[in-house]
Amino acid sequence: MRFPLLTLALTGAGLASFAATPELAEPHLSVLPRTEAERARIAGVTAPPGDFTQPEAFETNPAGAATVRARTTPDAFSQPSGNIAFERELDFKVGNGLFKKLWVSSPSSTLASDGLGPVFNARSCQRCHLKDGRGHPPDGPEDDAISMFLRISVPAAPEAEISRIEAFLLSLGDAAPRTRPDPTYGGQLQDFAVAGHRAEYRLGLRYDEIEVALSDGETAWLRQPSYSAEDLGYGPLAEGAMLSPRVAPPMIGLGLLEAIPAADILALEDPEDADGDGISGRAQIVWSFEHDRPMLGRFGWKAGAPTVREQSASAFAGDIGISSPLFPAPWGDCAAGQPACQRAPHGDGDARQFEIDAAGLDLVTFYSRNLAVPARRDVGDNQVLRGKRMFHESGCAACHTPKFVTHRLQGQPEQSFQLIWPMTDLLLHDMGEGLADNRPEGRATGREWRTAPLWGIGLTEQVNGHSQFLHDGRARSLLEAVLWHGGEAQAARDAVATMPKADRDALIRYLESL
C-alpha cells in the first residue's frame, strides 16, 4: 500500500493540512463528519479482495444505491441515479434539455439560446458527449472532429506574473511547469465559427502502425497518431506552442467521483515511491474560480477541474463559447489576438445577464452529477472472476483503485455515503513516452495523466458504436489501451503482454463486465 500523505516530505505540511479538513477540501459540499465506527467499517469494505472464486458483496452495484440496471440500448449511460427521488427527476430532465440544447449565434430572436461562439467546437454538450458517452477521433477525411479537439498552451515568459495556483504550489516547494494560453488562439483550438468569422483550424491526423508481440504467438497492432493544426485561420501559433488531443470522456458517475473525500484520494499519493511498488501517483491541485482557493483536481484527462459545476462552466466557455457566472467572457475562448471575435455580438444583453445563467448552470450540474452508472454484468462468471484476479495480480489495481465510500452529504442524497467501484485513484501518473503529449497542465507534466475511471467501459460500443479508448481514442480495443501503458504502468503492461493467452482473454472479459 502507498504511504499516507502526512508522511510525504515532498508535498509538505501545507498540502497535508489542505487535505485534512473536509470542509476546506470540498467547500462546495455540505459534509457530515464520519464517526470512528464508520471509519472502521469503510476500511473493511474497501480492503482489497482476498478471494477470487466468487464476487464480493455489492460488486454488482458499482455506484451503490445510485446504480441502475444495465440496459441493452444506446441509452445505457443516460439514466438518472437509481436512488433519485421522483420530485428531483424534473430537475434532471430540465438539465438534460439544456445539455442537449443547440445554441445559436447572436443576435437572435431566440434570446434564451443565443450566444454561440463566435468560434466553437460544438453547438451543444450532447454533440461531443453523444448519448452521454465517449467521443472518438475523426474516422477518415470525410468525418469531422466534433467530439475531439486540440488543447494549446505556450511556456510562460520569465517575466509573466505568477498565477495564484503557481504561487500556492511554490509555497509547497512544487515548481510545476508554467504555461499560458496561446496569445491568439487561447486555451484550445476551435474548428467551427459563426457566420462572418473563420474557424481557427482543421485537425490533421495520421497514424503509423506498430506491431507488438504477445505471448502464445499472438500479435497486436497499435496506432501511433500524429496531430497537426491545419488551415490556421488567424496566423501562426505562438513560438513553443504545445498541442494535446482530447476526446470527450463519458459522463457517468461524475457526482460520485466528486463526493469521494479528498483526504481518501490524497492518502494514496506516493510521489517518491516510498513503498517501492513502482507507482508514484500524485494529486493535481488547481485554482477554483468559483471558490477562489486551491482545490483537488478531479475532472478532465489531466484532472484540471475541481468540481462538476466548474468543469461544466469551463466546457460551456471553451467548447461552445457560452458565458456563465464562473467564466463571464461572452466571447468564450477568443484570445486578445482575435479582436474581431471579442467585439462580435453576444448574448449577454438580456435578462439572463450571462448566456447561461446560474440557474441554468445549476441544472446542467445536477444532470451531470446524476448520470447513473449501469450495473455490472456477469460478476459471477468464472472467466470474469479469473480476469479480476489477473487485474489485481498484474498490478492494474495499483492505480485503478476499485473502491471508495463517498462523503455523507446533506442535500445530495444520491451521492451520500455510497460504496462505489469507480476503478480510479483520480491521481496523476507518469504513463511513459508512448502516451506523452509533452504539454504540462498545472502540476501534471507532459507524461502524466489522471487515472481514468473504468466503470461502464464495457458498454462503450453499445452506447457509442465504437471501441476507441484513451485520451485521444488511438486504442481500438481494450487490449490496445492496456498495451499503450508505460511509465509507472510498464510492469503491469508487460505482465499482461506475457501472461498466458487464456489469462489475458479473461482480463479483457473482466474489463468488458465493468
Side-chain angles (χ1 to χ4, degrees), residues 1-52:
M1 294 296 292
R2 282 166 269 172
F3 289 1
L5 177 73
L6 294 175
T7 69
L8 301 179
L10 179 67
T11 47
L15 191 52
S17 62
F18 166 84
T21 310
E23 59 265 33
L24 292 181
E26 294 100 357
H28 59 302
L29 302 179
S30 181
V31 175
L32 297 174
R34 291 174 173 175
T35 67
E36 286 303 315
E38 286 175 341
R39 292 179 189 277
R41 286 171 53 206
I42 290 167
V45 299
T46 58
D51 179 7
F52 295 101

Side-chain angles (χ1 to χ4, degrees), residues 278-308:
I279 306 301
S280 51
R282 60 198 189 114
Q284 175 73 288
I285 306 299
V286 300
W287 194 269
S288 169
F289 294 95
E290 181 172 15
H291 301 287
D292 196 31
R293 51 154 290 125
M295 290 180 65
L296 174 68
R298 301 176 189 242
F299 303 105
W301 288 104
K302 295 206 177 194
T307 68
V308 175

Side-chain angles (χ1 to χ4, degrees), residues 105-165:
S105 58
S106 298
S108 169
S109 59
T110 312
L111 295 181
S113 299
D114 70 341
L116 175 69
V119 292
F120 58 96
N121 295 109
R123 289 183 58 198
S124 73
C125 308
Q126 181 79 5
R127 286 288 180 93
C128 289
H129 301 277
L130 184 64
K131 291 291 184 181
D132 305 296
R134 188 182 302 269
H136 63 87
D139 183 17
E142 301 304 317
D143 189 15
D144 60 36
I146 194 67
S147 59
M148 183 180 192
F149 64 82
L150 294 176
R151 288 213 183 278
I152 181 172
S153 55
V154 298
E159 67 275 12
E161 182 180 356
I162 294 177
S163 70
R164 287 176 291 182
I165 190 59

